[in-house]
Amino acid sequence: MHTIDLARHLNRVRETCPLVHNITNHVAMNTMANVLLALGASPAMAHAREEVEEFAALAGALTLNIGTLSPDWVDAMDAAARAANEAGTPWVLDPVAVGATTLRRKAGARLLALSPTVVRGNASEIMALAEQGGGGQGVDSTDTTEAAERAAVDLARRTGAVIAVTGETDLVTDGERLARVAGGHALMPRVTTLGCALTGVVGAHLAVAEDPFEACVAALAGYAVAGSIAGENARGPGSFAVAFLDALHALDTDTLTARARLEITHAR
C-alpha cells in the first residue's frame, strides 16, 4: 500500500517558508494569512490585475478562490493562472459555491480550463464542477464526500488535476490513487473561512513537493490533526479559532505522524 512521509512534507514547508500568492475572497484574507503564517509559510494577498502575473511568477504556489468574485477579479485570476502555468508555478482552484449562479459556473469552467494543479472544494462544489450535481446550498455542501467520489475521480482523469473533496472525511484523488483523510473537529465548519485557508495550506505544500497528490494529502492530514487537537479544549467557535492557529503552529512531526488518520487505495 502507498504511504506518505507526512513529517518530510511538513518539515520542507517550514524549512523553505514558501511564498504563496492568494487571490481569495474578502472574508478569507485575514484567516488565510494567519493560517499560513502559523504553518510556517509566507502569504501574499494580491489581486490587482496590474500585478498578479508578476506575483504568480515569483511565488512558490498560487491559489484562486471565487468566494466573492467579480468580473474584474475573474480576469485577474485568469491572468494569474496563465502566468503560473508559463512559470511552472503549481496552483490551486477553490470553486466556492460554483453551482450557485451563472457567474460562478462560468468562472469555474473558465478557470478549470486553465489546468489547475489541484482543485479543492466541498462535495457539492466538486460535483457541480464535474457537472454531476446541483451545487449545494450556497457555500455549504448538501452532499457527502463519499457521494462525490465518482465525480472526483472522473474530474481528475478528465483534467489531470488532483481533486480534493473536503468534509467530515476528506477524499483526495489523482484519478489513479485515492486517499481518505479522517480527523478534524465538528467546530471547524463553524469558523468561517477555515476551509478557504486550507486551500492556502495545500498551496504551501505544493510549492515544496514533487508529487501534487502527496502534497495535497499531507496538507489535509496536518490540518485535520491540528483541528483535532484544537477541539480538545475549545468551548465554542471563538476559542476554537484561536486554538486552531496555536495547534497548527505547534504541530510537530511526531504528533502529526502518530495522530494522522489516512488510507490510500487505488481509485476505481
Side-chain angles (χ1 to χ4, degrees), residues 125-214:
E125 290 162 351
I126 296 302
M127 292 172 74
L129 205 59
E131 299 180 347
Q132 295 185 26
Q137 180 177 306
V139 299
D140 296 322
S141 181
T142 54
D143 300 284
T144 65
T145 52
E146 291 303 315
E149 179 179 334
R150 182 75 267 150
V153 172
D154 289 348
L155 194 60
R157 290 172 178 170
R158 174 162 63 86
T159 64
V162 172
I163 308 300
V165 189
T166 52
E168 189 171 342
T169 297
D170 301 331
L171 184 151
V172 183
T173 183
D174 61 359
E176 299 299 325
R177 295 167 289 181
L178 189 145
R180 289 181 173 83
V181 182
H185 193 272
L187 283 172
M188 294 182 83
R190 299 297 178 186
V191 180
T192 187
T193 68
L194 275 191
C196 298
L198 173 55
T199 296
V201 171
V202 171
H205 282 74
L206 279 179
V208 297
E210 296 80 26
D211 184 337
F213 173 82
E214 286 200 1

Side-chain angles (χ1 to χ4, degrees), residues 11 52 88 104 124 151 163-164 190 195:
N11 282 334
V52 292
R104 291 173 186 274
S124 294
I163 308 300
R190 299 297 178 186

Side-chain angles (χ1 to χ4, degrees), residues 12-243:
R12 289 190 68 179
V13 171
R14 288 178 170 166
E15 290 165 2
T16 308
C17 189
L19 174 64
V20 184
H21 175 202
N22 308 286
I23 306 179
T24 191
N25 66 74
H26 294 293
V27 185
M29 289 183 191
N30 187 65
T31 303
M32 179 182 266
N34 280 330
V35 164
L36 283 169
L37 288 170
L39 176 69
S42 176
M45 289 14 204
H47 59 266
R49 174 66 182 81
E50 293 79 3
E51 68 173 354
V52 292
E53 290 166 295
E54 293 176 80
F55 255 113
L58 62 86
L62 166 71
T63 78
L64 304 179
N65 175 305
I66 67 169
T68 54
L69 81 173
S70 69
D72 288 344
W73 275 36
V74 176
D75 287 345
M77 290 178 186
D78 185 298
R82 292 178 188 276
N85 288 341
E86 187 173 337
T89 304
W91 64 281
V92 189
L93 172 61
D94 189 341
V96 176
V98 70
T101 66
T102 300
L103 176 63
R104 291 173 186 274
R105 287 189 290 273
K106 288 182 176 179
R110 177 178 173 182
L111 296 172
L112 185 65
L114 296 176
S115 302
T117 312
V118 172
V119 179
R120 190 218 66 82
N122 65 39
S124 294
E125 290 162 351
I126 296 302
M127 292 172 74
L129 205 59
E131 299 180 347
Q132 295 185 26
Q137 180 177 306
V139 299
D140 296 322
S141 181
T142 54
D143 300 284
T144 65
T145 52
E146 291 303 315
E149 179 179 334
R150 182 75 267 150
V153 172
D154 289 348
L155 194 60
R157 290 172 178 170
R158 174 162 63 86
T159 64
V162 172
I163 308 300
V165 189
T166 52
E168 189 171 342
T169 297
D170 301 331
L171 184 151
V172 183
T173 183
D174 61 359
E176 299 299 325
R177 295 167 289 181
L178 189 145
R180 289 181 173 83
V181 182
H185 193 272
L187 283 172
M188 294 182 83
R190 299 297 178 186
V191 180
T192 187
T193 68
L194 275 191
C196 298
L198 173 55
T199 296
V201 171
V202 171
H205 282 74
L206 279 179
V208 297
E210 296 80 26
D211 184 337
F213 173 82
E214 286 200 1
C216 194
V217 173
L220 269 58
Y223 217 70
V225 171
S228 296
I229 293 170
E232 290 174 353
N233 297 306
R235 300 180 303 280
S239 57
F240 180 88
V242 174

